[in-house]
Amino acid sequence: MKIPIITAALVSLLAISAHAQLLQKITGKKKAAEEVPATPDPKLIIGGDDAVSIDSAYEYDWAVYQESEAFQGNQRVIDGGEDIVIYYSSTQAVFNIQLKSRSTGTKYYFFGDLEKESQLKLAGVEGVASGDKSKLELEGMEPVYPGEIGYLSELRRTGSKKVIAGVACEEYVAQNLRHDPRVVNTSHTKVTAYVWIPLDPHSVFPGYSLMPEHFKLQIERMRREGSYPPVVMPLEMFLEYGNGDKVFTHTTHIIMKERRKVGLGDINQP
């Protein structure tokens, strides 16, 4: 009778050991699953006439860092405004505007390619992004930027000049009414804008000279007539709306000759 007893004990021990190993595997897998951080979905839904691959990327080597602040009357809006980076290239006529809303965390990217005459707008929140690709046309071009830059349909050079982050700039003033047909996407009735634009576009966008000749001629004509195509962004801007709201955008620093590759999927990263 000893042999069956020993056999039964051995079977029992093996069953306990197997159960412990199985439990360890299950709990180990569960723990590992809990420890793996959630990764954002890299897929982008791009509309427009042409498809955009997820691995599309551009390389830049100039960066302008800016911040915007929002005010209601004289009261600063807590967590209002945006953090902004504008990338330019010295070897191609391409630029990229990145804006992140402090209040919502939403990211906005604008890619402008003057060589291929195309533009891409992206918006991303919580790891999900969508966008629209279209032909780049200077007339009506309006990338996402603080204060709805469509207001800058008419600018008047004041003659004032100052240096911002080492770049010589000149001041323009715009005063537009809502019924101006060139002012779009706004619910405000009136705005006064004080804008500081680089005297020489090449001082922040060396690849500016590489754009197609017809764009250069068009930009010169637009500036003579008072409008401003947002190819080289202002280094400082103060907007005052008819209802008392204000937006102040200023440059914190400029980094030159530092290569940086920006991919479309970057908008989904934390």
Side-chain angles (χ1 to χ4, degrees):
M1 296 297 295
K2 291 182 180 180
I3 293 175
I5 293 174
I6 293 172
T7 303
L10 181 61
V11 169
S12 178
L13 286 172
L14 289 172
I16 293 171
S17 176
H19 178 73
Q21 290 177 8
L22 179 62
L23 183 63
Q24 184 178 7
K25 287 181 179 179
I26 293 172
T27 56
K29 287 181 180 178
K30 183 178 180 182
K31 184 177 180 182
E34 291 175 348
E35 290 176 352
V36 174
T39 55
D41 186 351
K43 295 178 182 176
L44 297 178
I45 304 170
I46 307 300
D49 297 332
D50 302 308
V52 177
S53 301
I54 185 62
D55 60 352
S56 295
Y58 290 93
E59 191 170 281
Y60 310 93
D61 51 8
W62 289 59
V64 178
Y65 290 84
Q66 297 183 337
E67 295 177 358
S68 76
E69 297 175 286
F71 297 85
Q72 292 181 339
N74 294 322
Q75 185 69 38
R76 183 175 179 272
V77 179
I78 303 300
D79 294 330
E82 297 90 5
D83 295 312
I84 309 145
V85 186
I86 307 165
Y87 291 107
Y88 299 103
S89 171
S90 63
T91 59
Q92 300 179 76
V94 296
F95 65 102
N96 169 233
I97 302 171
Q98 300 184 8
L99 182 149
K100 182 177 181 180
S101 169
R102 296 195 194 103
S103 59
T104 65
T106 304
K107 293 181 181 179
Y108 301 93
Y109 280 15
F110 177 88
F111 293 86
D113 190 330
L114 293 157
E115 294 174 352
K116 294 183 173 63
E117 301 188 21
S118 66
Q119 65 178 25
L120 174 64
K121 295 181 181 181
L122 297 177
V125 59
E126 296 182 355
V128 179
S130 61
D132 182 75
K133 184 184 180 186
S134 59
K135 182 178 176 62
L136 189 150
E137 296 177 343
L138 298 180
E139 299 281 357
M141 176 183 172
E142 190 173 349
V144 175
Y145 193 73
E148 301 171 347
I149 57 176
Y151 275 120
L152 308 182
S153 58
E154 289 187 7
L155 292 173
R156 177 175 55 84
R157 186 184 282 109
T158 66
S160 297
K161 296 178 176 61
K162 70 175 177 179
V163 176
I164 301 173
V167 176
C169 298
E170 57 183 342
E171 185 188 42
Y172 290 78
V173 174
Q175 292 179 306
N176 293 322
L177 299 176
R178 187 182 180 187
H179 58 69
D180 186 324
R182 287 165 292 185
V183 176
V184 294
N185 299 327
T186 179
S187 59
H188 296 94
T189 57
K190 182 181 178 182
V191 65
T192 300
Y194 300 90
V195 185
W196 292 90
I197 298 172
L199 273 166
D200 179 8
H202 300 87
S203 59
V204 292
F205 187 4
Y208 184 90
S209 60
L210 301 175
M211 73 173 71
E213 194 64 29
H214 69 90
F215 276 150
K216 296 178 186 177
L217 296 174
Q218 187 178 1
I219 288 173
E220 289 305 313
R221 177 181 59 78
M222 291 174 71
R223 296 190 71 168
R224 284 197 306 270
E225 294 175 352
S227 60
Y228 176 70
V231 174
V232 177
M233 304 307 293
L235 292 191
E236 190 171 297
M237 185 166 66
F238 178 76
L239 299 176
E240 185 171 5
Y241 297 90
N243 65 353
D245 289 352
K246 302 178 182 69
V247 176
F248 175 58
T249 304
H250 62 99
T251 297
T252 56
H253 56 286
I254 298 175
I255 296 179
M256 300 174 288
K257 299 178 182 179
E258 183 177 288
R259 295 175 64 183
R260 163 77 185 271
K261 183 173 286 188
V262 178
L264 303 188
D266 290 353
I267 197 170
N268 280 341
Q269 301 304 316

